[in-house]
Amino acid sequence: MRRCAPQGCLWMLLLAWLCLSGQAVAGEVSFRLTRKGDLLHVVNLGDSAAYYPSVMRLRTDGVWEVLQRLGREAEVAQLLPGAAMEWSWQQAPTDRPVMASLPVMVRFFDSAGVGIGQVSFLNRPPLATQPLVAAYHGGNLEIQPPAAGQEIRATWVLWGQEEGIRPLAGDIRFEHGQPPARRIEWRPGMTFQRLELGGGLPSAALLHETAQGIELQLVPGGGIRGKEQRAWWLGKDWLFYLLALLCGLAVWPAAWWAGAARWQRKPA
């Protein structure tokens, strides 16, 4: 039986490796928040750890108040996938309608050291029936004023400040910096509002004050979180398929040449 030449075997092993190499999936972190009396229970539902987690709730003046972590987990610097922690939740004033939605933010650092904030609501408001025009332009979030017929009196802008990978170039300080939420009171003749929410262009939640109550509008982020920290070859499936095809085309001539040379050296 004719055996494969060493050169041909190496090419075939390389071809097999390329065909079996799949695209790696970047880790995700998400949370489930449950309030039970004076306790806020937080579970990491993602497949990656959240480092130096901190939980904040919105005050009536727009400032994010840091909650106190409870239990022996208070000394833990990471929240592993599937793990849970508890924070103290004392009764908060709700003298503004927006506070009834109980906005909460979980801030953490990912495995690369990027600071991220995720906003959620313990009492989620209904989605806006007539959302405003809002999108990122030139690195800033631009929000157009209500058009005729949109009965929006004011808009709260909530976001998790995110600077992307830019801070990784220097000394990383695992400290959470979150600016206050912005409240825009719409008046006749106002132009669009431009907000700077961080170089990472995070997603934002708009809480509209209307005659029917609070309505929620979600604005997608303008960044590339999850891809900007990944190696260049991730997501290049087409390149690997092309290399595999070229290797396949090269294997057979090399194998034929090696077999022909071996046959010629075989004694008669």
Side-chain angles (χ1 to χ4, degrees):
M1 183 173 65
R2 182 178 300 176
R3 292 184 298 177
C4 177
Q7 298 90 338
C9 292
L10 290 176
W11 277 108
M12 294 181 70
L13 288 175
L14 179 59
L15 174 62
W17 180 84
L18 287 172
C19 292
L20 292 176
S21 296
Q23 178 177 338
V25 179
E28 297 291 340
V29 178
S30 61
F31 304 97
R32 181 178 68 235
L33 283 68
T34 306
R35 179 191 171 196
K36 297 180 179 179
D38 292 338
L39 294 178
L40 183 66
H41 194 71
V42 180
V43 180
N44 182 358
L45 299 179
D47 57 10
S48 297
Y51 296 91
Y52 302 100
S54 179
V55 178
M56 312 172 182
R57 68 179 179 187
L58 190 66
R59 298 191 328 203
T60 56
D61 58 358
V63 174
W64 289 98
E65 174 188 4
V66 179
L67 302 182
Q68 179 183 1
R69 194 183 308 175
L70 301 177
R72 60 184 179 86
E73 295 89 352
E75 303 299 328
V76 178
Q78 61 180 345
L79 184 59
L80 296 174
M85 289 184 178
E86 289 185 336
W87 275 263
S88 175
W89 183 284
Q90 301 298 326
Q91 186 62 33
T94 57
D95 53 341
R96 286 196 174 189
V98 70
M99 300 306 298
S101 61
L102 299 178
V104 180
M105 181 187 304
V106 180
R107 290 203 60 89
F108 63 96
F109 292 88
D110 67 6
S111 58
V114 176
I116 300 171
Q118 296 183 4
V119 178
S120 59
F121 304 90
L122 299 183
N123 295 327
R124 186 183 175 93
L127 294 178
T129 55
Q130 295 181 320
L132 298 180
V133 177
Y136 275 98
H137 295 284
N140 296 309
L141 179 64
E142 296 184 358
I143 306 175
Q144 299 292 336
Q150 289 181 300
E151 300 179 355
I152 299 177
R153 304 168 181 170
T155 298
W156 285 83
V157 184
L158 282 60
W159 75 96
Q161 187 78 10
E162 185 177 336
E163 299 300 338
I165 63 175
R166 183 172 54 188
L168 302 182
D171 295 332
I172 302 177
R173 302 183 61 182
F174 294 103
E175 300 176 354
H176 298 293
Q178 177 60 47
R182 292 282 302 273
R183 183 177 185 272
I184 305 172
E185 187 172 350
W186 299 108
R187 297 184 300 274
M190 288 183 63
T191 60
F192 68 90
Q193 301 296 298
R194 182 183 290 113
L195 304 178
E196 197 279 321
L197 308 185
L201 310 182
S203 59
L206 308 184
L207 292 176
H208 302 309
E209 298 180 6
T210 71
Q212 292 74 32
I214 299 297
E215 295 183 350
L216 172 63
Q217 176 181 346
L218 301 177
V219 181
I224 52 175
R225 180 196 300 171
K227 297 181 181 179
E228 57 185 356
Q229 299 134 283
R230 297 163 64 187
W232 68 269
W233 50 269
L234 294 178
K236 304 295 185 182
D237 291 0
W238 63 270
L239 177 59
F240 286 117
Y241 290 143
L242 178 60
L243 290 175
L245 177 61
L246 294 177
C247 289
L249 295 176
V251 163
W252 303 116
W256 178 87
W257 176 84
R262 185 182 182 86
W263 180 267
Q264 291 177 356
R265 291 196 300 268
K266 186 177 180 179

